[in-house]
Amino acid sequence: MDDKSLLTVNVVTPDGVVYDNTTDLAVCKTTLGEVGIMPNRVPLLASLAIDEVRVKTGEDSFDEIAVSGGFIEFSNNVLSVVASSAERKENIDASRAERARARAEKRIATAKETHNVDDLRRAEVSLRRAMNRLNISKH
Amino acid sequence: MPASMQEVKRRIVSTKKTGQITGAMQMVSTAKLNQIQKHAANYQIYSSKIRSVITHLAKSHLLDSSAVSGEVGKSQDGKVNTLSMIKQRPVKKTGIVVITSDRGLVGSYNSNVIKSTMDLIKNGNHNTEDTVIIAIGGTGADFFSKRGYNIVYEYRGVSDVPTFKEIRPIVETIVSMYDNEAYDQLVVCYSHFVNTLTSVFRAEQMLPISAENMGTDDLTEQDENDYQIEYETEPSQDAILEVILPQYAESLVYGAILDAKTSEHACSSTAMKSATDNAKDVISSLELQFNRARQSAITTEITEITGAQAALD
C-alpha cells in the first residue's frame, strides 16, 4: 500500500456541501466514542454525536467542523458526513450560539416546571447543539 | 367625444401602471426561482446520500424483517418505540400536510393543490373525523379550517428560499406528532415542480417509511453495485437506523416544502407574465379605441366648421 493514499471528506447538509477536502486522517466522535478514519479503511456506517469532526490538514493542524448529530458513511476512500446542520469553525456565529444557549436554558427551565418531558428533551438537544458550537468556536 | 376620450386615456395610464407592476413581480419571481433551484440542487446531494444509506440498510433486509415483526408481535413493546417510523400501524387517523402559499397572485397554484387534496380526501373515504390537517401556508389553513377540518399544526410565512434551519421546527413537530400517534400515516400533498410552465400535484405517503416510498425501484445498475458493500456498523444497525430514519423523514418533508416553494415561484412567475402580456393587449386595444375617438372628434369638428362656413356663404 502506498503511503500517499488519501481519503476525501465531504460534509453534506440540506443547505449544501459545507466542506470538501482530502486528508490522511479524519477524527469523528460517534455515539460510542471517537473513531479515527484513515485511508483504505473497511467501509463504515456510524451515528455521530453532537460534537466536532476534525480533519487533518497538516503536521499539527486540523480543520474543525461542528456537526449536530447525523451519521457518517465511509466507503471507497470517501467519507461522507451527513448531518442536518454543520459549520466550519471559522463560520460559527458565536453570539448567535450564545443566544441559542440562553434560549435553550430558558426552555429547559419552563419544561421542568411544567413537567413536559418531550419539550425538555428537545430543549436539551438544542442546548447541546449550542454548547457544541460555543466550545468549538472558543478553542 | 371628449369625455370618453379622457376616460380611455385614464384607463390606458392605469393599465400601463398595472402592467409595470406585474412585470416587476414577474422578474422578482424569476429571480427567486433561480435562487431556489440552486438551493434545491444542493439539497439533492444531501437527500441522495441519506437515501443511498437507507436503501443499503433496507437491502440488508433489516427493514422488512422489523416491519413484519412490528405487525405480528405487537407485544414487543421495546421495539415499538425504536423503529416506530417503519412500523405499519392500523390507520385510525390520517395526517395530511397541505403545502400552499401565503399570498395570492400565483395563478392556479393554490386552487390546484386544494382541489386535488379534497379529491384525495374524498377518494380515500376520509372525513373530518379521521383526518387531521397540517397546513403549511395560509391559503390551505384558511380553506380547511373553514370546512371544519381539524388543523393540528399551522405554519405561515415560509420564506422565499427556505433553509433547513428555518423549516426544522416544522419538520420536527410533524415527525414527533407521528411518534405521539396523533396520526398513523402521513401524506404530504404539494405541487411538484416539473418546469417553469408545468407543475403537477403530488401526494406522497411519507410515514410510516416503507420500501415503496424509499424509491428502490429507480435504482440503476451502478447503484445496485454500490449497495453490495459490506459495512461495518457502529453501534448496531438498529441504532443507526434510529438515527437515520428521523433524519430521512425530516429530509423528505423538507424536500417537499422546497419543491412546493419552487413550484410556487414558477407559478407566480408564469401568472405575472401572462398578466403583463394581457396588460399589453388591453393597452393596444385601448389605444386603438382612443385614436378612433380622437379621429372622430376631429372629423366632427371639421364637418362643423365647413358646415358653418357653407351657411355663411
Side-chain angles (χ1 to χ4, degrees), chain B residues 29 55 61 67 70 84 90 106 130 151-152 156 158-159 177 180 199 209 236 275:
Chain B
S29 295
T55 321
H61 73 264
S84 64
V106 283
D130 64 5
I151 298 193
V152 282
R156 286 164 199 253
V158 179
S159 68
M177 275 197 284
N180 299 336
S199 296
I209 296 167
S236 64

Side-chain angles (χ1 to χ4, degrees), chain B residues 4-241:
Chain B
S4 114
M5 252 169 74
Q6 210 167 27
E7 173 74 8
V8 173
K9 197 164 197 176
R10 208 179 298 136
R11 278 184 61 194
I12 290 177
V13 171
S14 106
T15 318
K16 255 186 193 154
K17 278 184 182 154
T18 316
Q20 224 161 34
I21 293 172
T22 54
M25 284 171 84
Q26 185 210 334
M27 280 192 275
V28 170
S29 295
T30 316
K32 282 177 186 165
L33 181 66
N34 284 337
Q35 242 177 0
I36 201 167
Q37 276 183 309
K38 230 176 266 166
H39 194 81
N42 280 336
Y43 160 75
Q44 217 59 48
I45 305 171
Y46 173 79
S47 80
S48 67
K49 266 271 145 47
I50 292 199
R51 184 173 292 213
S52 77
V53 171
I54 289 258
T55 321
H56 174 83
L57 290 176
K59 273 271 152 68
S60 58
H61 73 264
L62 198 122
L63 274 184
D64 308 324
S65 66
S66 42
V68 169
S69 77
E71 253 172 20
V72 179
K74 253 203 144 184
S75 52
Q76 296 170 299
D77 271 19
K79 266 229 150 169
V80 171
N81 245 335
T82 42
L83 294 172
S84 64
M85 289 200 168
I86 45 176
K87 210 194 73 184
Q88 312 273 346
R89 296 198 289 248
V91 179
K92 277 177 272 161
K93 277 207 171 207
T94 307
I96 297 184
V97 179
V98 187
I99 308 176
T100 53
S101 75
D102 285 316
R103 60 188 194 94
L105 298 175
V106 283
S108 56
Y109 172 76
N110 284 317
S111 57
N112 273 347
V113 171
I114 288 176
K115 196 172 135 254
S116 309
T117 310
M118 285 307 273
D119 284 348
L120 182 89
I121 292 175
K122 221 184 280 163
N123 293 338
N125 283 325
H126 300 302
N127 52 37
T128 46
E129 297 295 307
D130 64 5
T131 314
V132 291
I133 301 282
I134 297 123
I136 297 172
T139 320
D142 295 341
F143 179 88
F144 285 101
S145 70
K146 228 177 254 166
R147 272 158 194 73
Y149 282 91
N150 181 12
I151 298 193
V152 282
Y153 188 73
E154 181 183 327
Y155 187 88
R156 286 164 199 253
V158 179
S159 68
D160 290 322
V161 180
T163 57
F164 190 73
K165 218 177 258 163
E166 176 199 336
I167 301 296
R168 188 180 211 146
I170 312 174
V171 171
E172 275 175 357
T173 321
I174 292 175
V175 173
S176 76
M177 275 197 284
Y178 175 78
D179 272 341
N180 299 336
E181 311 205 358
Y183 33 79
D184 306 296
Q185 66 170 1
L186 180 75
V187 183
V188 180
C189 299
Y190 63 100
S191 166
H192 167 65
F193 171 79
V194 182
N195 57 41
T196 326
L197 291 174
T198 13
S199 296
V200 195
F201 173 75
R202 211 183 239 189
E204 275 177 9
Q205 189 195 320
M206 294 199 172
L207 289 170
I209 296 167
S210 61
E212 299 104 71
N213 63 24
M214 212 116 57
T216 28
D217 321 327
D218 44 72
L219 291 178
T220 59
E221 196 111 316
Q222 161 73 33
D223 290 334
E224 288 279 349
N225 288 334
D226 281 351
Y227 297 126
Q228 298 304 320
I229 306 167
E230 283 292 324
Y231 282 103
E232 188 177 288
T233 52
E234 182 182 323
S236 64
Q237 289 206 334
D238 270 348
I240 288 189
L241 265 185

Side-chain angles (χ1 to χ4, degrees), chain A:
Chain A
M1 205 196 308
D2 63 354
D3 44 329
K4 273 202 191 111
S5 65
L6 290 171
L7 66 95
T8 310
V9 182
N10 279 319
V11 179
V12 222
T13 72
D15 295 327
V17 177
V18 177
Y19 184 82
D20 190 355
N21 204 354
T22 53
T23 178
D24 54 2
L25 173 68
V27 182
C28 312
K29 187 88 150 278
T30 72
T31 38
L32 291 184
E34 273 197 338
V35 283
I37 293 169
M38 293 173 88
N40 302 322
R41 190 196 190 287
V42 169
L44 170 79
L45 268 180
S47 52
L48 284 179
I50 300 175
D51 210 292
E52 59 178 342
V53 169
R54 286 182 297 151
V55 179
K56 194 174 175 190
T57 49
E59 211 28 62
D60 261 328
S61 61
F62 282 91
D63 273 345
E64 290 160 304
I65 304 142
V67 291
S68 55
F71 62 92
I72 52 170
E73 185 250 19
F74 180 79
S75 60
N76 302 326
N77 272 343
V78 177
L79 175 72
S80 305
V81 179
V82 184
S84 52
S85 77
E87 280 131 10
R88 294 189 58 169
K89 184 184 170 186
E90 302 84 65
N91 298 341
I92 294 177
D93 186 340
S95 66
R96 216 187 91 120
E98 187 62 53
R99 266 178 283 142
R101 190 182 65 108
R103 211 166 43 230
E105 275 169 352
K106 209 188 268 169
R107 268 171 62 202
I108 288 180
T110 42
K112 271 187 181 152
E113 260 168 41
T114 54
H115 301 290
N116 190 336
V117 186
D118 272 351
D119 256 4
L120 181 63
R121 214 177 41 216
R122 243 174 274 157
E124 275 170 358
V125 172
S126 34
L127 178 63
R128 245 182 292 152
R129 277 188 205 132
M131 292 302 285
N132 180 39
R133 288 205 179 100
L134 282 175
N135 285 341
I136 292 172
S137 68
K138 268 173 196 155
H139 64 233

